[in-house]
Amino acid sequence: GVFAHLEMLEAQAHEAAVKQEATEQQEEKLARLKARVQELRRQRDELRAKVDLQQKGQLGKEGPSADPAQPSARAVLEWKAKSVKAMLQIFYLTGISGKLTKRGVCFCISTAYEGTYLDSYHLDLLTKPEVRIHRHSIPIFIPLEQIARKYLQTDIRRFFSVLSDHLNAYVGRRYQADQLQEHFSDQIEGTLQRNSLCNLLVFNYKVWSESKPFLFNVRLLYGDVCCSLPTEVVISCKVDAPSSLAEMATAHSDLFRRVALHRAFRAFRSAEEHVD
C-alpha cells in the first residue's frame, strides 16, 4: 500500500543521506567553531561596552592626571579595530568573509548545499557618511534592495543573515535541479523547466507499473524562497493510468517535500531495482 511504499522510500532516502552526513570528527570541529563564536561574541560585547563608555564621556580624558587604569583614546581605537575583526571572524565561520578597504568593507558570501561549496558572491560596502552598497555580484532576482532597506542601517548582522539565507536556498534549489538533469536524465522525459530563481520546476519523469512505463507530470513550487524544499507538489498522470499509480504519486509527492530532489530520485531508482 501507499504507507509501505512511502516507508521504504523514506528508509532508502535516509540511508543515502546518512552515508553523506558529517563524521564525528566534523561534528567535533563544528562544536569547536561554535565555542569560538561564543568567545568572539563575548569579546565583542566587552569591547562594545567600553567604547560606549568612552563615547558617553564616562572614561577619563587622556593626560597626566588621567587614571592609568582607564584606557586612552588610542586604546579605544584598538578596541574598535578588534571589534571589527571579531565581527569579521564571526561572519567567516558562517561562510561570510570580509576585508577592510579604504572606504569600507568588502564582503564575500560563500554558498554551499549538503557540504558542497557552490558559488561565491561579493558585496562592497561604503561606511561613510552612512553604510551603503557600492557594488555587488548578487543576482538581480535576489531582493537585495529590499533586504538592505530593512536591515542594512540598523542590524548589519541580520542583513547578512537574511541575504545569506536567500543565496544558499537559491543555489540549493539550482544544485538539485542540476543534479537531477546530470544523474537521472534517463528518467526525465523532455526538458526540465525552471525559472531564474529556481523556485518553480516543471518536468515529466517515467515510472513503471504492471511492467509498463507511464509519465508523471510534476510541478514543484518553492513558496518560501529561503528554503530549498518545495512547499507545494502537484503530480498528475493520464486518466487511464492504473489505480496503483495514484498511491505511487502520493508517496512521491510526500518524499519531494521531505528530501532533496536528486535524493528522492535515487530512492525511486533503488525501489525499482528492488522490485525487479
Side-chain angles (χ1 to χ4, degrees), residues 223-237:
D224 183 356
V225 292
C226 289
C227 184
S228 57
L229 292 177
T231 55
E232 180 182 326
V233 179
V234 178
I235 298 178
S236 59
C237 192

Side-chain angles (χ1 to χ4, degrees), residues 209-221:
S209 179
E210 300 176 1
S211 301
K212 295 180 180 179
F214 292 89
L215 280 183
F216 272 171
N217 174 266
V218 60
R219 179 179 182 272
L220 304 179
L221 176 64

